[in-house]
Amino acid sequence: MSIRLAVLIILVVAVILAISVMRVPQAEHGGSSHTSSSSKELSVGRDAIFIGDGAPAYALLRMKDKIYALGGGVAVIFSEDLSPLCYAKLKYNIWKAENYDEDRFVSMQQWYPPTRVGSIAMFDSELNLIWSVDGNFTDFRVANNKIYAAELKGDYYYLDIFDGNGNLIRSFRVLDANEVTEWIRDSLTIEVNDKIYVPYVSGDSKPYKLMLLSFDEQGNLELEKEIYETEEDVGRTYIYSYRDSFLLTIEGPACRYIYVDRNGSILRESIWEPLFETGFRNCWTRAKVVNDRVYVFGHDECIFAGLIGIIETPTPDSPSFKYIQEIFVKRDSTWQDNSIIYDILPDGDELYVIGLVQMNLPSGAFIVRVDPDIDTEISPLLERADVVYLEDMPPCKS
């Protein structure tokens, strides 16, 4: 064999080996440590992604053609194809967020009893804090260029109305906290649709009463309605505008979705019961209404699985579900525990879903991109998803 031919063969083999190395998928991070490289390129065009070393798992927003994942004191900004662009560590453990305008969003800090110290804060699209208001807030809504917030002050709930600069416009008392069932006393929610609507569950012994209040912006009580009584254990109740009525999502042994008119009269009801009997049953649920389509999502505590689904456009005769899927994830032949879905972001012909899976290191928040009909099973996407780390991303601010 000539020297020239031997050199040529060596070069060809080297090129083949180099190409092979380039095609090997990026190894997943495992254990409690990993190697970081500022020059590492993250893959693009994902349908799902896990975020390790931090858990921005609670809220999704879209601003300026970017997707914002928020929570756990962390924010990560993605492009539309789930390529991470940058991250920021915040002073707020964000639990909920809503767009205020095209360049600002409002958030509520997560808080826990017994301290109950939370806040309402506004950020710009660059994740700069514009203003914040401390308080014991349980929920808020952005409407009419204002921020409406429910706050627990001592033994009473108040409704606080702020302008876009964080100035308090008005505050009025809406409810005695002792009227609310004790174990859900820290979870009053509101909805704003011409009037301010407040649902709550009353009574510390059975039967429990599902109640609905409404106020004008001056604080005048205009409606106090008992929707129904139940012998069933009832958890937190959320309220959402739906057409000319409201959708109430109610935690309990089953997830209940009750449609009521503006006078609090029941129009129809949808019920989803956990798929398996385990001796303990509880269903945690929230919803979003987009273009008359009702998305429901949350957590089946019986089997520690996240759930997401669609209620078909309900009629009195057909309050049915299109379907609900539950999230079970296996990584490296090991089942991961305790998935939950916290928020969704409908965006044209795509739907973004954010949640948490307690993986066997790393434990990770996830974001999935699926079609709005949710025809794609989410679990297989998560099983194939890349894991990325905050230190592999540039900071959003220098």
Side-chain angles (χ1 to χ4, degrees):
M1 180 183 294
S2 67
I3 295 177
R4 181 178 297 179
L5 180 58
V7 171
L8 180 60
I9 291 174
I10 291 172
L11 289 174
V12 170
V13 170
V15 170
I16 292 173
L17 289 174
I19 294 174
S20 299
V21 170
M22 293 173 61
R23 288 181 177 177
V24 172
Q26 176 183 323
E28 295 177 7
H29 296 281
S32 59
S33 63
H34 60 280
T35 302
S36 173
S37 171
S38 59
S39 64
K40 177 166 47 179
E41 293 184 359
L42 302 172
S43 61
V44 298
R46 296 179 177 90
D47 292 318
I49 189 170
F50 275 106
I51 308 151
D53 290 355
Y58 297 137
L60 281 173
L61 292 174
R62 179 183 174 88
M63 301 181 72
K64 297 185 174 180
D65 298 323
K66 298 180 178 66
I67 307 300
Y68 290 67
L70 306 162
V74 175
V76 178
I77 301 179
F78 295 86
S79 62
E80 294 171 319
D81 63 3
L82 293 186
S83 300
L85 302 176
C86 65
Y87 82 97
K89 292 190 176 181
L90 309 175
K91 294 181 179 180
Y92 294 88
N93 185 4
I94 292 175
W95 170 249
K96 177 182 177 180
E98 289 188 9
N99 294 84
Y100 183 80
D101 55 27
E102 63 181 12
D103 192 52
R104 294 175 292 175
F105 68 89
V106 181
S107 67
M108 184 179 77
Q109 182 173 343
Q110 188 178 20
W111 52 268
Y112 302 94
T115 56
R116 291 201 289 260
V117 177
S119 61
I120 299 290
M122 177 177 280
F123 293 83
D124 65 19
S125 60
E126 301 299 320
L127 300 175
N128 297 303
L129 176 65
I130 301 174
W131 56 259
S132 67
V133 177
D134 290 334
N136 303 325
F137 297 103
T138 65
D139 194 26
F140 78 91
R141 288 289 189 276
V142 174
N144 309 317
N145 295 318
K146 289 175 279 192
I147 298 101
Y148 302 77
E151 184 179 14
L152 182 58
K153 301 179 183 179
D155 293 329
Y156 298 95
Y157 284 105
Y158 283 76
L159 197 291
D160 301 333
I161 305 176
F162 300 94
D163 65 19
N165 295 315
N167 300 311
L168 182 65
I169 300 172
R170 187 171 298 108
S171 178
F172 54 87
R173 195 167 76 185
V174 299
L175 186 62
D176 186 327
N178 292 323
E179 295 181 50
V180 181
T181 300
E182 183 175 3
W183 62 82
I184 53 174
R185 196 159 287 166
D186 301 325
S187 58
L188 199 73
T189 62
I190 62 174
E191 177 65 15
V192 180
N193 190 331
D194 296 334
K195 310 295 181 181
I196 303 161
Y197 291 82
V198 180
Y200 69 97
V201 179
S202 177
D204 284 331
S205 61
K206 299 178 181 179
Y208 305 112
K209 296 180 180 180
L210 178 60
M211 305 291 296
L212 182 65
L213 307 177
S214 76
F215 300 83
D216 64 19
E217 289 208 10
Q218 305 306 313
N220 299 307
L221 178 66
E222 298 193 342
L223 174 69
E224 185 174 9
K225 177 68 177 288
E226 178 184 321
I227 297 176
Y228 76 97
E229 285 188 349
T230 178
E231 295 287 335
E232 185 177 80
D233 290 336
V234 180
R236 290 168 294 187
T237 301
Y238 298 86
I239 182 170
Y240 309 90
S241 294
Y242 177 77
R243 295 185 176 178
D244 57 352
S245 59
F246 296 99
L247 168 68
L248 302 177
T249 69
I250 304 167
E251 294 179 355
C255 288
R256 294 185 178 272
Y257 307 96
I258 299 177
Y259 298 87
V260 299
D261 62 22
R262 296 195 179 193
N263 295 316
S265 299
I266 294 178
L267 301 175
R268 51 197 173 270
E269 182 178 9
S270 301
I271 300 175
W272 183 81
E273 298 190 23
L275 301 180
F276 301 98
E277 292 280 358
T278 61
F280 171 76
R281 300 179 63 198
N282 193 47
C283 190
W284 176 83
T285 181
R286 297 172 70 182
K288 277 194 175 179
V289 181
V290 182
N291 299 326
D292 274 351
R293 170 172 278 179
V294 179
Y295 291 93
V296 296
F297 51 93
H299 182 60
D300 178 353
E301 293 188 6
C302 306
I303 52 178
F304 306 105
L307 63 90
I308 184 169
I310 298 172
I311 301 179
E312 291 279 24
T313 301
T315 66
D317 299 325
S318 178
S320 61
F321 295 91
K322 179 183 178 186
Y323 89 118
I324 281 185
Q325 59 171 289
E326 295 197 305
I327 311 303
F328 301 94
V329 181
K330 180 184 288 186
R331 302 278 297 192
D332 299 327
S333 302
T334 302
W335 287 107
Q336 309 300 319
D337 298 325
N338 206 16
S339 67
I340 186 168
I341 292 177
Y342 283 111
D343 198 10
I344 64 168
L345 175 65
D347 183 37
D349 58 355
E350 294 183 316
L351 178 75
Y352 296 87
V353 179
I354 193 168
L356 191 68
V357 172
Q358 188 161 341
M359 301 168 63
N360 293 332
L361 293 178
S363 179
F366 67 81
I367 302 178
V368 180
R369 180 177 56 166
V370 294
D371 63 277
D373 292 327
I374 325 179
D375 289 329
T376 303
E377 290 290 332
I378 291 176
S379 297
L381 296 179
L382 295 179
E383 291 175 358
R384 300 191 300 267
D386 293 331
V387 180
V388 298
Y389 288 82
L390 299 181
E391 63 189 65
D392 296 329
M393 309 174 199
C396 294
K397 296 179 289 183
S398 59

